[in-house]
Structure formats: C-alpha cells, structure tokens
Amino acid sequence: SMAAESSGSHAPPAPLLGGQRWRSKGHAWVESRHKVRRFFETTPGGVDGLVAQYLPPGKDEDEDPEMWRVVHDGDGDEEDLDFDDVVDALIAKDLNHKSADEMEGVRHEEERQERLSRAQRLETRSHHCSENHTPRMVADLYRVSLPLLLRLNLKSDRGSMTDHLLLKAGTRASKRGFVLLLPAFRIDGARTEAEPQQAAARGRRGAKGRPAQPHPQAAA
C-alpha cells in the first residue's frame, strides 16, 4: 500500500472512482481536502498532495482495513495509504518536515514511551484546553514533543468525523475543555507532570487551561 502508482493523467481528484467502495465524502480528511507530504527515494525532499478518497473497512478489519487515497500535486500520481501512514503524512506537511527520518524518529519514540508506560503502569495524562489553546502552545507548556503530541491525538479517535482528526499545530481549541492527550515523557526524558511548573500557556486573552488530569490508560 506504500507504493505510489501513476495515474497517467492530470485529472482533478474529484472524478476518481477507484472502485465501487471508494468514497469522496464521509471522512473528515477527505471532506476538508487535508494536505499531506510523502517521501520517496526519487524525491527525498518530499511530495505534497491531498487526501482525495476514503475506503471504509470491510467486515474483517485485519484483512480489509480502511484506506485513504492520496493524490500528489503536479503529476496526479496516486497511492493508497493506511491510517498510520496518513497520520505521518499529515504531520509532515503541517510541520514542514524535509525528510522521512523526522517522522520515523517520532514513531520510534512513541513505541519507546508506550513500552515504558506499560512497564511502569503509568496513567496517560491529558490537558483540558481553553478556547485559545493550540497543540503547539500545549507542547511548549509541558515541554513535550509537538509531533508526538499531534500523533497521539490524531490516533486517539478512529471516528470518521471528529475534531481530533483535523488537529494541526496551530489549531485553536474549538471549545473550552477540549482534551489533548500528552506524551508520557517530556523531551528531556522526565515524566510528564500532571501540573507543569512553568506558567500556563496563554493566548491573546490570557486564559489558562485546567491542570492535566490522569486519564486511565487502555489495556495493552
């Protein structure tokens, strides 16, 4: 599913059919025309594109998982990606990554933190936002990795039309109390604190979010 296949034309994404089950609506990434960035050996600096279509999962999600069709800018090439690959591509575009190594490092860190969290039986912490909080502000507040925070929250809800799916680094919380999950450990390796020592991140109106609350971690 990782390989790009050439469409051989420069037709706009909308007319693409790609089989009877492919849909051009019904998922937040498709309806918002979310932009992505992908990396290949022939294009190490990345290729931008957009999420054009959605394929819902079959009866057996392991055998027939949900997929997303991405159309590359310029040449119109297409590729079909799984959930994790789309999440990486969304973050790479949002944070203007220049190589695949950046998101590969984030994945490794996520796996490392998950192992440590399970071994130490740590609870997942979360932050309740004020209306003007953004993921970038929250990452600075807790001194955690921004791409890892984005990845955790983009993956937190597999529903097709949820606010978390549209999250970007500069997205302002749509409502007070919007919850962002936090990485278990900070950039310096210390455990993420329930209530950070530094002053709360502030927006234009200077509103503070509530302290992070423990969130029961799902069983492995």
Side-chain angles (χ1 to χ4, degrees):
S1 65
M2 293 284 291
E5 58 183 66
S6 175
S7 65
S9 73
H10 297 273
L16 293 174
L17 297 177
Q20 292 182 341
R21 293 179 54 212
W22 284 95
R23 302 178 180 177
S24 297
K25 58 183 180 179
H27 193 280
W29 291 339
V30 174
E31 295 195 3
S32 63
R33 313 289 280 177
H34 251 38
K35 297 290 288 185
V36 296
R37 178 167 294 170
R38 296 279 292 154
F39 300 96
F40 303 92
E41 291 182 359
T42 55
T43 57
V47 174
D48 291 346
L50 58 81
V51 184
Q53 290 184 308
Y54 171 59
L55 181 67
K59 292 182 179 179
D60 186 340
E61 293 192 29
D62 291 331
E63 293 293 326
D64 193 13
E66 60 185 346
M67 301 288 287
W68 288 264
R69 176 154 294 170
V70 167
V71 178
H72 298 170
D73 293 348
D75 60 14
D77 279 0
E78 306 166 19
E79 55 176 339
D80 300 338
L81 305 180
D82 64 20
F83 185 80
D84 276 324
D85 287 334
V86 177
V87 167
D88 282 354
L90 290 168
I91 296 172
K93 175 60 178 175
D94 183 22
L95 300 184
N96 198 28
H97 286 174
K98 301 300 184 184
S99 77
D101 294 341
E102 295 179 78
M103 280 313 300
E104 188 68 24
V106 175
R107 278 201 187 194
H108 287 319
E109 177 62 14
E110 179 184 39
E111 293 168 0
R112 186 187 75 84
Q113 292 200 14
E114 286 177 351
R115 289 195 301 270
L116 286 173
S117 295
R118 286 195 297 267
Q120 300 178 27
R121 298 181 182 275
L122 299 177
E123 293 177 321
T124 301
R125 300 202 186 279
S126 58
H127 176 81
H128 292 257
C129 297
S130 294
E131 291 181 20
N132 56 351
H133 277 185
T134 67
R136 189 183 301 279
M137 293 164 64
V138 173
D140 288 344
L141 171 63
Y142 290 92
R143 290 179 283 175
V144 297
S145 161
L146 174 59
L148 181 53
L149 182 148
L150 287 171
R151 185 168 167 77
L152 288 175
N153 285 279
L154 282 166
K155 291 174 59 180
S156 67
D157 190 340
R158 295 297 289 264
S160 62
M161 300 296 288
T162 66
D163 290 341
H164 280 95
L165 289 173
L166 299 178
L167 211 59
K168 294 184 179 181
T171 302
R172 292 188 178 275
S174 58
K175 56 188 176 183
R176 181 177 294 275
F178 184 77
V179 177
L180 288 176
L181 300 181
L182 301 171
F185 298 92
R186 302 185 323 206
I187 292 172
D188 62 9
R191 175 76 172 112
T192 302
E193 299 170 358
E195 189 170 353
Q197 298 299 312
Q198 67 190 88
R202 295 172 179 271
R204 279 184 249 178
R205 292 181 293 172
K208 292 184 180 179
R210 290 164 50 194
Q213 301 295 321
H215 200 72
Q217 182 166 307

